[in-house]
Amino acid sequence: MPSKKRWVAVTSTSDLPVDTAPVKRAMAGVAPVRTVALPFRPLSNEEETVFARKLKGAEGVLLRPGYITASLLDLLPDLRVVAVHGAGVDQVDVAACTERGVLVTNTPGANANAVSELTLGLILSLARRIPQAASRVGAERVWGEARHTGVELQGKTLGLIGVGQIGSRLTKMALAMGMKVLAHDPGLKGEDIKARGARPARFETLLGRADFISLHAPLTPKTHHLIDRRAISKMKKGAFLINAARGPLVDEAALARALGSGKIGGAALDVLEGEPPDPKSAIFDAPNLILTPHMAGSTQECLEAIAGWAGEDIARVLSGKKPRYPVNSL
């Protein structure tokens, strides 16, 4: 019988909700589930103490908003598993979790359809200037197409940085629209990239040839500011950049300058360096920019799948079984 004190926390807010129904189904007979509204930003020491009280006794945390730091872990001695609501685990100090015997899991691929579909939507929006046209018609009640002449995707080259489950799906979509696809992924061999439908390319080669560049890489020390001033200088003049992965992959100040100078034809960002972002960031004043509020995974199907997978792994760990999607090992 599970301990009466055992429980599992789900971090969720109105802006970053979690579908708790599949979590509760997964945890039935294992532990009750409670929601804790953890902010999606680094916490001060005083704030960590406050939220540690709210998380006291939790043996599992399904983490959407919030950061799991070494100092917070020290205040949560009962914690056994952190299941990240998504694939990226940069919100979690994985090394600190390993040192303290806390398993970390994620949900690789659960958001692949949702993110690849939104990315394609952003590519189309940049190519055809859809947001600008719709906004002008709605605001000014004017007609006429001259200001909104765009380009077609057929015959253009899409460059993918990362060809995991999202990049692989996007490759199929782009090929179906008549695009050529170049891909760079240090974690894959050339033949593996070819098997996914794309042509392997060196990073610099891809930058110089792609009409559209879409980022699908994890955030690591090596990929931080992967797209910086130097990378942008190697891109084709007028090329488009799309980022629905992690905000810090892009140097926002360098991108803002490139958009202002016309070096880059446009950019679509679903993620920013800081989340919530700095309202004074130069990126907000940059031209030819589409910003969406980290909504790539926000579909009913995606939220249900992620919550279910994460909940099932928490239940497995608390039941003495191995998780299906471990990030670390103990």
Side-chain angles (χ1 to χ4, degrees), residues 236-239 255-266 287-288:
K236 291 175 66 173
K237 181 175 174 59
L255 176 60
R257 289 192 294 269
L259 288 167
S261 70
K263 166 63 178 175
I264 292 182
N288 301 318

Side-chain angles (χ1 to χ4, degrees), residues 124-134 147-150 265 288:
L124 285 165
S125 293
L126 286 170
R128 299 303 304 273
R129 300 178 59 81
I130 297 170
Q132 298 94 321
R147 293 191 188 184
H148 310 296
T149 301
N288 301 318

Side-chain angles (χ1 to χ4, degrees), residues 94-238:
V94 177
C97 285
T98 304
E99 290 173 4
R100 291 158 178 78
V102 177
L103 276 165
V104 180
T105 72
N106 65 349
T107 57
N111 66 349
N113 283 328
V115 176
S116 56
E117 287 180 5
L118 181 81
T119 301
L120 179 61
L122 294 175
I123 291 172
L124 285 165
S125 293
L126 286 170
R128 299 303 304 273
R129 300 178 59 81
I130 297 170
Q132 298 94 321
S135 178
R136 183 165 180 255
V137 171
E140 302 177 26
R141 304 293 194 271
V142 294
W143 214 245
E145 64 181 45
R147 293 191 188 184
H148 310 296
T149 301
V151 298
E152 296 182 10
L153 298 187
Q154 184 171 347
K156 302 298 190 298
T157 297
L158 171 63
L160 297 177
I161 309 297
V163 205
Q165 297 199 50
I166 295 168
S168 297
R169 284 168 170 78
L170 191 58
T171 295
K172 294 177 181 178
M173 295 176 182
L175 292 173
M177 301 192 76
M179 300 185 79
K180 304 170 186 175
V181 182
L182 297 178
H184 175 76
D185 192 324
L188 294 175
K189 296 179 180 179
E191 54 263 35
D192 295 326
I193 292 175
K194 289 180 181 178
R196 299 178 188 206
R199 285 186 56 191
R202 292 169 55 86
F203 181 59
E204 292 78 8
T205 302
L206 184 151
L207 292 175
R209 293 184 181 177
D211 301 293
F212 296 83
I213 296 175
S214 188
L215 307 181
H216 301 285
L219 177 60
T220 68
K222 288 185 178 181
T223 61
H224 183 268
H225 283 188
L226 181 70
I227 302 299
D228 57 7
R229 180 185 59 80
R230 180 176 177 277
I232 290 171
S233 71
K234 296 181 179 297
M235 292 171 60
K236 291 175 66 173
K237 181 175 174 59

